[in-house]
Amino acid sequence: MTKNEKLETVIRTLSDKKGVNIMVFDVEKKSGYTDFMVFVTGTSTQHNTTMADSLFRELKTAGFAKPLVEGETSAKWILVDAGSVVINIMLEELRDYYSLEDIWSGCAKVDISSYLQ
């Protein structure tokens, strides 16, 4: 599975599960550990858990070895590390508070519209 195929799987899964305000940054040149940083807002802890569980299943089905998942207990912010794609699933208040997108603002924002069709 290429990094772009993995990204497409992630975006389609988050979109199918009604993730809010999906943003993707190409961080390959600035990061030593991943190519894409994905941010998505969930409407509740249950919604966050559902998105994370779906991502886990879809990535496994697509042939990716077990992704690393952190934060499932509180589910306010779940981090899914899928190697070339790192996904931050956050409640709106945490996403606003930490403003992690600002860290990657110097990186190119990825146009995900083609993945949503």
Side-chain angles (χ1 to χ4, degrees):
M1 172 180 261
T2 70
K3 64 183 181 180
N4 289 329
E5 290 170 332
K6 190 182 296 180
L7 179 61
E8 181 174 2
T9 299
V10 167
I11 298 307
R12 286 184 190 267
T13 302
L14 295 174
S15 178
D16 288 349
K17 294 300 175 191
K18 309 296 184 217
V20 178
N21 192 18
I22 302 169
M23 294 180 74
V24 180
F25 293 92
D26 182 343
V27 300
E28 182 177 17
K29 293 178 182 165
K30 298 227 178 199
S31 169
Y33 59 90
T34 192
D35 297 321
F36 298 106
M37 189 68 63
V38 178
F39 298 93
V40 62
T41 300
T43 57
S44 67
T45 55
Q46 181 59 49
H47 187 207
N48 285 356
T49 301
T50 299
M51 286 191 286
D53 290 347
S54 293
L55 273 176
F56 185 83
R57 274 193 312 278
E58 289 299 320
L59 289 169
K60 188 175 179 183
T61 300
F64 180 73
K66 185 177 181 181
L68 301 173
V69 181
E70 293 288 333
E72 284 183 303
T73 303
S74 73
K76 293 178 181 179
W77 175 3
I78 300 174
L79 179 75
V80 180
D81 182 348
S84 59
V85 182
V86 173
I87 306 98
N88 295 274
I89 303 170
M90 307 172 85
L91 292 178
E92 184 174 9
E93 56 267 18
L94 267 72
R95 189 168 174 182
D96 290 344
Y97 179 79
Y98 288 107
S99 300
L100 295 177
E101 291 98 327
D102 292 347
I103 294 171
W104 305 107
S105 62
C107 298
K109 196 171 171 187
V110 177
D111 179 8
I112 61 171
S113 59
S114 63
Y115 298 139
L116 300 174
Q117 297 174 354

